[in-house]
Amino acid sequence: MTVSRKIVLHFPAQVADRPIVCDLALRFGLAFNILRASISPHREGIMVMEIIGEGANQEKGLQYLREQGVLIESLSQDIRKNDERCINCGACVGVCPTSALFIEKPSFEVRFDGTRCIACEMCIMACPTFAMEALI
Ligand code: SF4
Ligand code: SF4
């Protein structure tokens, strides 16, 4: 399944001037949007980007970046569930690719586990009450 996720890349000085992000497309067939970047030759750099592609290819691509010395952080902490707005309809559960949203039994209330979230924002599009929020 094709999903998107937002990540933060920290480049050490020795790789900041190498076009290794382009390898995400060339080697792993991933699309990406650069949302923010601060990169200078021979200095540490930071880039916030969205990557789009099959989950398995994303994992391979990110592993490749790690092997080049890039530190990767997820932006998943920026997804929130507003329980006051949630009506437990379950629409988000069906679209969440990582089961970060799930139905708790026996209450049948919908819960959010931020540690599983990859910030793909599928739930935000699915939620009828705008209970799922991105805080970027
Ligand atoms: S909780 Fe929402 S943003 Fe996080 S992985 Fe599931 S669908 Fe994507
Ligand atoms: S789609 Fe929205 S209202 Fe429905 S269970 Fe998920 S967060 Fe709650």
Side-chain angles (χ1 to χ4, degrees):
M1 185 164 93
T2 298
V3 292
S4 71
R5 68 199 289 185
K6 295 193 177 90
I7 54 175
V8 183
L9 306 179
H10 297 267
F11 295 87
Q14 61 269 30
V15 300
D17 55 351
R18 286 173 46 201
I20 56 176
V21 166
C22 297
D23 287 338
L24 293 177
L26 295 173
R27 293 186 180 210
F28 305 101
L30 299 169
F32 58 86
N33 295 318
I34 296 172
L35 305 174
R36 273 174 260 158
S38 174
I39 307 254
S40 304
H42 312 302
R43 299 185 62 180
E44 289 183 6
I46 187 167
M47 180 183 289
V48 180
M49 68 187 297
E50 177 183 27
I51 55 172
I52 304 130
E54 294 286 328
N57 289 347
Q58 289 196 21
E59 290 310 316
K60 288 178 191 166
L62 296 185
Q63 181 58 30
Y64 167 76
L65 293 182
R66 287 188 194 97
E67 288 167 2
Q68 309 309 308
V70 179
L71 182 71
I72 300 170
E73 283 181 290
S74 171
L75 275 182
S76 57
Q77 66 271 22
D78 292 316
I79 299 292
R80 297 280 186 278
K81 179 172 178 288
N82 183 333
D83 287 330
E84 290 182 4
R85 286 190 184 164
C86 178
I87 57 173
N88 296 297
C89 70
C92 56
V93 175
V95 300
C96 179
T98 63
S99 301
L101 287 154
F102 59 95
I103 296 173
E104 189 175 69
K105 294 178 181 173
S107 68
F108 288 93
E109 291 181 352
V110 173
R111 300 290 182 211
F112 173 57
D113 178 355
T115 63
R116 294 188 199 163
C117 178
I118 60 169
C120 69
E121 301 188 4
M122 300 284 279
C123 56
I124 292 174
M125 290 183 277
C127 180
T129 65
F130 306 103
M132 298 305 299
E133 302 167 338
L135 303 180
I136 295 177

mmCIF file of all heavy atoms in Angstrom, residues 48-91:
data_model
loop_
_atom_site.group_PDB
_atom_site.id
_atom_site.type_symbol
_atom_site.label_atom_id
_atom_site.label_comp_id
_atom_site.label_asym_id
_atom_site.label_seq_id
_atom_site.Cartn_x
_atom_site.Cartn_y
_atom_site.Cartn_z
ATOM 1 N N VAL A 48 13.197 18.654 6.544
ATOM 2 C CA VAL A 48 11.899 18.054 6.860
ATOM 3 C C VAL A 48 11.270 17.677 5.536
ATOM 4 O O VAL A 48 11.178 18.507 4.624
ATOM 5 C CB VAL A 48 10.987 19.051 7.614
ATOM 6 C CG1 VAL A 48 9.644 18.400 7.927
ATOM 7 C CG2 VAL A 48 11.660 19.545 8.879
ATOM 8 N N MET A 49 10.902 16.431 5.393
ATOM 9 C CA MET A 49 10.361 15.992 4.112
ATOM 10 C C MET A 49 9.232 14.992 4.288
ATOM 11 O O MET A 49 9.086 14.365 5.329
ATOM 12 C CB MET A 49 11.470 15.393 3.248
ATOM 13 C CG MET A 49 12.020 14.097 3.765
ATOM 14 S SD MET A 49 13.468 13.547 2.828
ATOM 15 C CE MET A 49 12.770 13.305 1.236
ATOM 16 N N GLU A 50 8.425 14.908 3.229
ATOM 17 C CA GLU A 50 7.373 13.895 3.143
ATOM 18 C C GLU A 50 7.838 12.875 2.119
ATOM 19 O O GLU A 50 8.264 13.258 1.020
ATOM 20 C CB GLU A 50 6.075 14.562 2.675
ATOM 21 C CG GLU A 50 4.931 13.608 2.479
ATOM 22 C CD GLU A 50 3.691 14.332 1.951
ATOM 23 O OE1 GLU A 50 3.840 15.378 1.286
ATOM 24 O OE2 GLU A 50 2.588 13.851 2.213
ATOM 25 N N ILE A 51 7.814 11.591 2.465
ATOM 26 C CA ILE A 51 8.143 10.569 1.477
ATOM 27 C C ILE A 51 6.892 9.764 1.181
ATOM 28 O O ILE A 51 6.066 9.501 2.064
ATOM 29 C CB ILE A 51 9.300 9.650 1.902
ATOM 30 C CG1 ILE A 51 9.043 8.989 3.250
ATOM 31 C CG2 ILE A 51 10.587 10.406 1.931
ATOM 32 C CD1 ILE A 51 10.088 7.944 3.587
ATOM 33 N N ILE A 52 6.757 9.393 -0.085
ATOM 34 C CA ILE A 52 5.554 8.705 -0.556
ATOM 35 C C ILE A 52 5.977 7.439 -1.304
ATOM 36 O O ILE A 52 6.832 7.497 -2.182
ATOM 37 C CB ILE A 52 4.736 9.608 -1.499
ATOM 38 C CG1 ILE A 52 4.394 10.919 -0.789
ATOM 39 C CG2 ILE A 52 3.457 8.908 -1.975
ATOM 40 C CD1 ILE A 52 4.708 12.142 -1.557
ATOM 41 N N GLY A 53 5.383 6.318 -0.939
ATOM 42 C CA GLY A 53 5.691 5.068 -1.636
ATOM 43 C C GLY A 53 5.247 3.871 -0.830
ATOM 44 O O GLY A 53 4.658 4.009 0.241
ATOM 45 N N GLU A 54 5.524 2.688 -1.354
ATOM 46 C CA GLU A 54 5.193 1.453 -0.654
ATOM 47 C C GLU A 54 5.945 1.410 0.679
ATOM 48 O O GLU A 54 7.106 1.817 0.759
ATOM 49 C CB GLU A 54 5.612 0.246 -1.498
ATOM 50 C CG GLU A 54 4.839 0.093 -2.786
ATOM 51 C CD GLU A 54 3.418 -0.412 -2.532
ATOM 52 O OE1 GLU A 54 3.237 -1.166 -1.571
ATOM 53 O OE2 GLU A 54 2.523 -0.046 -3.306
ATOM 54 N N GLY A 55 5.261 0.894 1.711
ATOM 55 C CA GLY A 55 5.862 0.862 3.042
ATOM 56 C C GLY A 55 7.200 0.142 3.072
ATOM 57 O O GLY A 55 8.151 0.615 3.696
ATOM 58 N N ALA A 56 7.305 -0.994 2.364
ATOM 59 C CA ALA A 56 8.553 -1.762 2.391
ATOM 60 C C ALA A 56 9.680 -0.977 1.730
ATOM 61 O O ALA A 56 10.826 -0.984 2.199
ATOM 62 C CB ALA A 56 8.352 -3.096 1.678
ATOM 63 N N ASN A 57 9.370 -0.279 0.645
ATOM 64 C CA ASN A 57 10.395 0.532 -0.018
ATOM 65 C C ASN A 57 10.820 1.707 0.859
ATOM 66 O O ASN A 57 11.987 2.112 0.854
ATOM 67 C CB ASN A 57 9.874 1.048 -1.361
ATOM 68 C CG ASN A 57 9.764 -0.060 -2.377
ATOM 69 O OD1 ASN A 57 10.300 -1.143 -2.164
ATOM 70 N ND2 ASN A 57 9.061 0.191 -3.461
ATOM 71 N N GLN A 58 9.863 2.259 1.604
ATOM 72 C CA GLN A 58 10.218 3.340 2.518
ATOM 73 C C GLN A 58 11.226 2.855 3.557
ATOM 74 O O GLN A 58 12.206 3.534 3.855
ATOM 75 C CB GLN A 58 8.972 3.867 3.222
ATOM 76 C CG GLN A 58 8.042 4.648 2.327
ATOM 77 C CD GLN A 58 7.040 5.459 3.115
ATOM 78 O OE1 GLN A 58 7.254 5.754 4.279
ATOM 79 N NE2 GLN A 58 5.948 5.828 2.482
ATOM 80 N N GLU A 59 10.963 1.663 4.106
ATOM 81 C CA GLU A 59 11.882 1.144 5.119
ATOM 82 C C GLU A 59 13.276 0.940 4.540
ATOM 83 O O GLU A 59 14.286 1.252 5.170
ATOM 84 C CB GLU A 59 11.340 -0.161 5.707
ATOM 85 C CG GLU A 59 10.112 0.024 6.581
ATOM 86 C CD GLU A 59 10.292 1.114 7.632
ATOM 87 O OE1 GLU A 59 11.363 1.153 8.276
ATOM 88 O OE2 GLU A 59 9.389 1.942 7.799
ATOM 89 N N LYS A 60 13.343 0.395 3.297
ATOM 90 C CA LYS A 60 14.648 0.185 2.659
ATOM 91 C C LYS A 60 15.354 1.518 2.409
ATOM 92 O O LYS A 60 16.563 1.654 2.618
ATOM 93 C CB LYS A 60 14.469 -0.557 1.330
ATOM 94 C CG LYS A 60 14.088 -2.012 1.488
ATOM 95 C CD LYS A 60 13.886 -2.642 0.109
ATOM 96 C CE LYS A 60 13.240 -4.009 0.228
ATOM 97 N NZ LYS A 60 12.739 -4.502 -1.058
ATOM 98 N N GLY A 61 14.587 2.488 1.942
ATOM 99 C CA GLY A 61 15.174 3.796 1.651
ATOM 100 C C GLY A 61 15.701 4.474 2.906
ATOM 101 O O GLY A 61 16.800 5.042 2.907
ATOM 102 N N LEU A 62 14.928 4.384 3.991
ATOM 103 C CA LEU A 62 15.373 5.020 5.232
ATOM 104 C C LEU A 62 16.568 4.283 5.823
ATOM 105 O O LEU A 62 17.479 4.912 6.388
ATOM 106 C CB LEU A 62 14.216 5.073 6.241
ATOM 107 C CG LEU A 62 13.023 5.945 5.808
ATOM 108 C CD1 LEU A 62 11.997 6.024 6.925
ATOM 109 C CD2 LEU A 62 13.468 7.336 5.399
ATOM 110 N N GLN A 63 16.581 2.962 5.668
ATOM 111 C CA GLN A 63 17.744 2.204 6.145
ATOM 112 C C GLN A 63 18.993 2.614 5.366
ATOM 113 O O GLN A 63 20.085 2.771 5.927
ATOM 114 C CB GLN A 63 17.485 0.700 5.996
ATOM 115 C CG GLN A 63 18.621 -0.178 6.496
ATOM 116 C CD GLN A 63 18.953 0.062 7.959
ATOM 117 O OE1 GLN A 63 18.096 0.427 8.758
ATOM 118 N NE2 GLN A 63 20.229 -0.115 8.306
ATOM 119 N N TYR A 64 18.828 2.833 4.061
ATOM 120 C CA TYR A 64 19.951 3.289 3.232
ATOM 121 C C TYR A 64 20.481 4.645 3.746
ATOM 122 O O TYR A 64 21.697 4.839 3.875
ATOM 123 C CB TYR A 64 19.488 3.422 1.777
ATOM 124 C CG TYR A 64 20.445 4.163 0.891
ATOM 125 C CD1 TYR A 64 21.606 3.563 0.428
ATOM 126 C CD2 TYR A 64 20.190 5.493 0.528
ATOM 127 C CE1 TYR A 64 22.495 4.254 -0.374
ATOM 128 C CE2 TYR A 64 21.071 6.189 -0.273
ATOM 129 C CZ TYR A 64 22.226 5.565 -0.725
ATOM 130 O OH TYR A 64 23.109 6.257 -1.517
ATOM 131 N N LEU A 65 19.557 5.565 4.060
ATOM 132 C CA LEU A 65 20.003 6.868 4.563
ATOM 133 C C LEU A 65 20.742 6.718 5.893
ATOM 134 O O LEU A 65 21.769 7.371 6.126
ATOM 135 C CB LEU A 65 18.806 7.811 4.740
ATOM 136 C CG LEU A 65 18.078 8.256 3.462
ATOM 137 C CD1 LEU A 65 16.958 9.221 3.809
ATOM 138 C CD2 LEU A 65 19.037 8.903 2.474
ATOM 139 N N ARG A 66 20.214 5.845 6.762
ATOM 140 C CA ARG A 66 20.894 5.623 8.051
ATOM 141 C C ARG A 66 22.311 5.108 7.820
ATOM 142 O O ARG A 66 23.251 5.515 8.498
ATOM 143 C CB ARG A 66 20.110 4.615 8.900
ATOM 144 C CG ARG A 66 18.818 5.172 9.473
ATOM 145 C CD ARG A 66 18.189 4.202 10.462
ATOM 146 N NE ARG A 66 16.817 4.597 10.739
ATOM 147 C CZ ARG A 66 15.751 4.061 10.134
ATOM 148 N NH1 ARG A 66 15.893 3.076 9.275
ATOM 149 N NH2 ARG A 66 14.550 4.504 10.418
ATOM 150 N N GLU A 67 22.470 4.211 6.845
ATOM 151 C CA GLU A 67 23.798 3.653 6.567
ATOM 152 C C GLU A 67 24.762 4.721 6.054
ATOM 153 O O GLU A 67 25.976 4.563 6.143
ATOM 154 C CB GLU A 67 23.673 2.520 5.541
ATOM 155 C CG GLU A 67 23.033 1.279 6.136
ATOM 156 C CD GLU A 67 22.603 0.264 5.081
ATOM 157 O OE1 GLU A 67 22.848 0.507 3.875
ATOM 158 O OE2 GLU A 67 22.003 -0.746 5.464
ATOM 159 N N GLN A 68 24.210 5.806 5.499
ATOM 160 C CA GLN A 68 25.051 6.922 5.045
ATOM 161 C C GLN A 68 25.370 7.884 6.187
ATOM 162 O O GLN A 68 26.028 8.900 5.979
ATOM 163 C CB GLN A 68 24.360 7.702 3.912
ATOM 164 C CG GLN A 68 23.850 6.869 2.753
ATOM 165 C CD GLN A 68 24.896 5.935 2.188
ATOM 166 O OE1 GLN A 68 25.995 6.374 1.861
ATOM 167 N NE2 GLN A 68 24.580 4.647 2.099
ATOM 168 N N GLY A 69 24.824 7.604 7.378
ATOM 169 C CA GLY A 69 25.111 8.453 8.533
ATOM 170 C C GLY A 69 24.034 9.464 8.854
ATOM 171 O O GLY A 69 24.212 10.332 9.712
ATOM 172 N N VAL A 70 22.885 9.369 8.161
ATOM 173 C CA VAL A 70 21.800 10.329 8.389
ATOM 174 C C VAL A 70 20.972 9.873 9.584
ATOM 175 O O VAL A 70 20.592 8.702 9.682
ATOM 176 C CB VAL A 70 20.901 10.448 7.144
ATOM 177 C CG1 VAL A 70 19.760 11.428 7.391
ATOM 178 C CG2 VAL A 70 21.731 10.871 5.940
ATOM 179 N N LEU A 71 20.682 10.800 10.496
ATOM 180 C CA LEU A 71 19.815 10.506 11.646
ATOM 181 C C LEU A 71 18.383 10.854 11.243
ATOM 182 O O LEU A 71 18.137 11.927 10.692
ATOM 183 C CB LEU A 71 20.249 11.355 12.842
ATOM 184 C CG LEU A 71 19.495 11.149 14.135
ATOM 185 C CD1 LEU A 71 19.846 9.792 14.736
ATOM 186 C CD2 LEU A 71 19.826 12.253 15.125
ATOM 187 N N ILE A 72 17.442 9.936 11.501
ATOM 188 C CA ILE A 72 16.057 10.124 11.043
ATOM 189 C C ILE A 72 15.116 10.155 12.235
ATOM 190 O O ILE A 72 15.162 9.289 13.099
ATOM 191 C CB ILE A 72 15.642 8.993 10.090
ATOM 192 C CG1 ILE A 72 16.573 8.978 8.874
ATOM 193 C CG2 ILE A 72 14.193 9.141 9.661
ATOM 194 C CD1 ILE A 72 16.407 7.769 7.993
ATOM 195 N N GLU A 73 14.252 11.170 12.262
ATOM 196 C CA GLU A 73 13.215 11.270 13.286
ATOM 197 C C GLU A 73 11.857 11.302 12.600
ATOM 198 O O GLU A 73 11.720 11.895 11.522
ATOM 199 C CB GLU A 73 13.335 12.591 14.058
ATOM 200 C CG GLU A 73 14.420 12.648 15.069
ATOM 201 C CD GLU A 73 14.360 14.014 15.742
ATOM 202 O OE1 GLU A 73 14.676 15.015 15.093
ATOM 203 O OE2 GLU A 73 13.969 14.062 16.901
ATOM 204 N N SER A 74 10.862 10.712 13.220
ATOM 205 C CA SER A 74 9.507 10.782 12.692
ATOM 206 C C SER A 74 8.845 12.057 13.202
ATOM 207 O O SER A 74 9.155 12.543 14.281
ATOM 208 C CB SER A 74 8.714 9.563 13.151
ATOM 209 O OG SER A 74 7.365 9.724 12.822
ATOM 210 N N LEU A 75 7.887 12.551 12.427
ATOM 211 C CA LEU A 75 7.091 13.693 12.885
ATOM 212 C C LEU A 75 5.783 13.229 13.518
ATOM 213 O O LEU A 75 4.854 13.994 13.670
ATOM 214 C CB LEU A 75 6.767 14.628 11.720
ATOM 215 C CG LEU A 75 7.818 15.667 11.383
ATOM 216 C CD1 LEU A 75 7.337 16.547 10.242
ATOM 217 C CD2 LEU A 75 8.163 16.525 12.570
ATOM 218 N N SER A 76 5.717 11.941 13.866
ATOM 219 C CA SER A 76 4.452 11.383 14.360
ATOM 220 C C SER A 76 3.961 12.067 15.626
ATOM 221 O O SER A 76 2.784 12.036 15.930
ATOM 222 C CB SER A 76 4.597 9.893 14.612
ATOM 223 O OG SER A 76 5.636 9.652 15.513
ATOM 224 N N GLN A 77 4.888 12.686 16.371
ATOM 225 C CA GLN A 77 4.446 13.364 17.587
ATOM 226 C C GLN A 77 3.555 14.554 17.270
ATOM 227 O O GLN A 77 2.956 15.129 18.157
ATOM 228 C CB GLN A 77 5.641 13.811 18.438
ATOM 229 C CG GLN A 77 6.512 14.878 17.822
ATOM 230 C CD GLN A 77 7.631 14.285 16.969
ATOM 231 O OE1 GLN A 77 7.528 13.157 16.517
ATOM 232 N NE2 GLN A 77 8.677 15.058 16.748
ATOM 233 N N ASP A 78 3.492 14.927 15.991
ATOM 234 C CA ASP A 78 2.674 16.071 15.600
ATOM 235 C C ASP A 78 1.245 15.687 15.242
ATOM 236 O O ASP A 78 0.462 16.524 14.834
ATOM 237 C CB ASP A 78 3.328 16.803 14.432
ATOM 238 C CG ASP A 78 4.620 17.468 14.871
ATOM 239 O OD1 ASP A 78 4.616 18.078 15.943
ATOM 240 O OD2 ASP A 78 5.605 17.360 14.153
ATOM 241 N N ILE A 79 0.900 14.412 15.353
ATOM 242 C CA ILE A 79 -0.480 13.975 15.137
ATOM 243 C C ILE A 79 -1.148 13.813 16.498
ATOM 244 O O ILE A 79 -0.590 13.204 17.405
ATOM 245 C CB ILE A 79 -0.530 12.631 14.374
ATOM 246 C CG1 ILE A 79 0.120 12.758 13.001
ATOM 247 C CG2 ILE A 79 -1.973 12.144 14.246
ATOM 248 C CD1 ILE A 79 -0.621 13.630 12.004
ATOM 249 N N ARG A 80 -2.332 14.405 16.641
ATOM 250 C CA ARG A 80 -3.058 14.328 17.907
ATOM 251 C C ARG A 80 -4.488 13.878 17.666
ATOM 252 O O ARG A 80 -5.060 14.150 16.617
ATOM 253 C CB ARG A 80 -3.108 15.724 18.568
ATOM 254 C CG ARG A 80 -1.770 16.289 18.958
ATOM 255 C CD ARG A 80 -1.268 15.710 20.262
ATOM 256 N NE ARG A 80 -0.047 16.369 20.701
ATOM 257 C CZ ARG A 80 1.176 16.072 20.254
ATOM 258 N NH1 ARG A 80 1.326 15.134 19.348
ATOM 259 N NH2 ARG A 80 2.240 16.708 20.702
ATOM 260 N N LYS A 81 -5.055 13.216 18.670
ATOM 261 C CA LYS A 81 -6.473 12.864 18.623
ATOM 262 C C LYS A 81 -7.178 13.689 19.694
ATOM 263 O O LYS A 81 -6.813 13.624 20.877
ATOM 264 C CB LYS A 81 -6.655 11.373 18.891
ATOM 265 C CG LYS A 81 -8.104 10.904 18.899
ATOM 266 C CD LYS A 81 -8.148 9.381 18.969
ATOM 267 C CE LYS A 81 -9.573 8.874 19.020
ATOM 268 N NZ LYS A 81 -10.208 9.145 20.321
ATOM 269 N N ASN A 82 -8.154 14.459 19.265
ATOM 270 C CA ASN A 82 -8.921 15.294 20.186
ATOM 271 C C ASN A 82 -10.130 14.482 20.665
ATOM 272 O O ASN A 82 -11.122 14.335 19.944
ATOM 273 C CB ASN A 82 -9.359 16.574 19.464
ATOM 274 C CG ASN A 82 -10.088 17.525 20.387
ATOM 275 O OD1 ASN A 82 -10.711 17.107 21.367
ATOM 276 N ND2 ASN A 82 -10.025 18.809 20.072
ATOM 277 N N ASP A 83 -10.030 13.944 21.867
ATOM 278 C CA ASP A 83 -11.071 13.037 22.360
ATOM 279 C C ASP A 83 -12.416 13.754 22.552
ATOM 280 O O ASP A 83 -13.469 13.110 22.519
ATOM 281 C CB ASP A 83 -10.635 12.391 23.678
ATOM 282 C CG ASP A 83 -9.544 11.349 23.447
ATOM 283 O OD1 ASP A 83 -9.536 10.728 22.362
ATOM 284 O OD2 ASP A 83 -8.700 11.164 24.336
ATOM 285 N N GLU A 84 -12.383 15.063 22.738
ATOM 286 C CA GLU A 84 -13.650 15.786 22.927
ATOM 287 C C GLU A 84 -14.460 15.819 21.628
ATOM 288 O O GLU A 84 -15.683 15.912 21.646
ATOM 289 C CB GLU A 84 -13.380 17.208 23.413
ATOM 290 C CG GLU A 84 -12.862 17.220 24.847
ATOM 291 C CD GLU A 84 -12.645 18.625 25.356
ATOM 292 O OE1 GLU A 84 -12.969 19.593 24.643
ATOM 293 O OE2 GLU A 84 -12.123 18.743 26.477
ATOM 294 N N ARG A 85 -13.761 15.756 20.500
ATOM 295 C CA ARG A 85 -14.474 15.790 19.215
ATOM 296 C C ARG A 85 -14.815 14.391 18.701
ATOM 297 O O ARG A 85 -15.628 14.242 17.799
ATOM 298 C CB ARG A 85 -13.609 16.482 18.158
ATOM 299 C CG ARG A 85 -13.535 17.970 18.336
ATOM 300 C CD ARG A 85 -12.884 18.569 17.119
ATOM 301 N NE ARG A 85 -12.685 19.991 17.264
ATOM 302 C CZ ARG A 85 -11.875 20.706 16.505
ATOM 303 N NH1 ARG A 85 -11.191 20.124 15.560
ATOM 304 N NH2 ARG A 85 -11.749 21.990 16.693
ATOM 305 N N CYS A 86 -14.129 13.382 19.205
ATOM 306 C CA CYS A 86 -14.276 12.024 18.667
ATOM 307 C C CYS A 86 -15.622 11.419 19.049
ATOM 308 O O CYS A 86 -16.026 11.467 20.210
ATOM 309 C CB CYS A 86 -13.146 11.149 19.191
ATOM 310 S SG CYS A 86 -13.277 9.441 18.637
ATOM 311 N N ILE A 87 -16.306 10.865 18.067
ATOM 312 C CA ILE A 87 -17.601 10.200 18.316
ATOM 313 C C ILE A 87 -17.461 8.676 18.181
ATOM 314 O O ILE A 87 -18.450 7.968 18.084
ATOM 315 C CB ILE A 87 -18.685 10.728 17.347
ATOM 316 C CG1 ILE A 87 -18.248 10.529 15.883
ATOM 317 C CG2 ILE A 87 -19.004 12.193 17.642
ATOM 318 C CD1 ILE A 87 -19.330 10.860 14.857
ATOM 319 N N ASN A 88 -16.211 8.191 18.143
ATOM 320 C CA ASN A 88 -15.931 6.744 18.082
ATOM 321 C C ASN A 88 -16.611 6.050 16.912
ATOM 322 O O ASN A 88 -17.092 4.931 17.030
ATOM 323 C CB ASN A 88 -16.328 6.087 19.410
ATOM 324 C CG ASN A 88 -15.483 6.605 20.556
ATOM 325 O OD1 ASN A 88 -14.274 6.411 20.571
ATOM 326 N ND2 ASN A 88 -16.107 7.293 21.503
ATOM 327 N N CYS A 89 -16.620 6.732 15.774
ATOM 328 C CA CYS A 89 -17.271 6.140 14.600
ATOM 329 C C CYS A 89 -16.419 5.043 13.967
ATOM 330 O O CYS A 89 -16.922 4.207 13.234
ATOM 331 C CB CYS A 89 -17.574 7.222 13.567
ATOM 332 S SG CYS A 89 -16.089 7.896 12.773
ATOM 333 N N GLY A 90 -15.111 5.076 14.191
ATOM 334 C CA GLY A 90 -14.225 4.031 13.662
ATOM 335 C C GLY A 90 -13.730 4.277 12.251
ATOM 336 O O GLY A 90 -12.976 3.461 11.714
ATOM 337 N N ALA A 91 -14.113 5.368 11.622
ATOM 338 C CA ALA A 91 -13.693 5.616 10.231
ATOM 339 C C ALA A 91 -12.166 5.685 10.108
ATOM 340 O O ALA A 91 -11.595 5.230 9.113
ATOM 341 C CB ALA A 91 -14.324 6.915 9.720
#
